[in-house]
Structure formats: structure tokens, C-alpha cells
Amino acid sequence: GQAFRVGRYPIHFHINGNVTGSYVRGNAIHRSYNRACTIHAVNNLLVEHNVVFNIKGLSFFVEDGVEEDNILQYNLAVYTRQSNSLLNPDIQPGSFWIVNPNNIVQHNAVAGSTHFGFWYRVL
């Protein structure tokens, strides 16, 4: 991801609505200067078996709270670190940042992050 650039993330589903049948599977993302996987206004996306390492800001980012019925499972986030580039939550980042409990987040792991592993900020 490109630092200080909104929307310039390695993987970014952006206002796609219902994406049944779509997935983010088996990726390795490392040394990103701006997040790893962002889900914004998307429903029914499967995110699984991904590994992210040395990510600035929120690694797996479910953005606005309108996202529902997404599944994030069997992902690994290692060394999520602080970023001053975009949002306040990036200053104290969570490897998984979830704002709507109507998503399934299961069997994921986090190691060595500077702040939070899982941050549920229900709006």
C-alpha cells in the first residue's frame, strides 16, 4: 500500500455491494505502508488463508460498519504497526479491525503487533 494515499491498499474491495462468490484467498502481503486488506461497503466476501507481515495501519480492515455477512477466517497477521498516514485507529492499530458484528471472524491469529490483535469497535 502507498503511504498517505486514501484507497491505495494492496487489496481493496470498495463499495461493491453483494459480492457472493468472490474471495481473497492465499495471498502474502508484506511491508505495506498502508494496510493489507480493506473491505468497504461489501457483503458476502470470503477472506481466508492469507498471511500479512510488517503492515503499517490496520491490517484486515472492515471499514464503515455497513459491511455484513463477510467471512474472515484462517488468516495470520504478524507485526502490524503504527501509522500516522490516514485515520486515528491507524495510530494504535488492530490487526483485525471490525465495526459490525454481523460478520464471521474465526480461526485467525495475530503475533507481534505493536498495539491490538482484534479490535471490535461496534458503531
Side-chain angles (χ1 to χ4, degrees):
Q2 296 176 350
F4 308 105
R5 300 288 307 270
V6 173
R8 297 297 198 146
Y9 319 127
I11 297 173
H12 188 193
F13 276 74
H14 186 74
I15 311 177
N16 299 102
N18 185 344
V19 296
T20 299
S22 296
Y23 58 85
V24 177
R25 179 182 295 142
N27 297 284
I29 300 169
H30 56 91
R31 296 189 192 129
S32 171
Y33 291 99
N34 197 355
R35 306 194 178 117
C37 180
T38 299
I39 302 169
H40 181 199
V42 171
N43 301 319
N44 300 298
L45 177 66
L46 174 62
V47 179
E48 67 178 359
H49 300 290
N50 300 288
V51 176
V52 301
F53 171 73
N54 195 5
I55 306 298
K56 282 191 169 187
L58 307 162
S59 290
F60 291 91
F61 180 35
V62 181
E63 193 164 340
D64 281 344
V66 298
E67 301 82 9
E68 293 186 329
D69 302 316
N70 299 293
I71 300 173
L72 287 81
Q73 63 184 8
Y74 304 107
N75 299 291
L76 172 63
V78 179
Y79 192 41
T80 299
R81 34 194 207 119
Q82 178 180 11
S83 172
N84 296 318
S85 66
L86 293 177
L87 301 176
N88 285 338
D90 293 305
I91 296 170
Q92 295 180 320
S95 295
F96 290 83
W97 200 73
I98 313 296
V99 292
N100 188 333
N102 293 327
N103 294 285
I104 296 172
V105 181
Q106 62 184 5
H107 311 297
N108 298 290
V110 177
S113 297
T114 59
H115 289 81
F116 304 104
F118 295 86
W119 186 353
Y120 287 86
R121 182 174 180 225
V122 180
L123 301 175

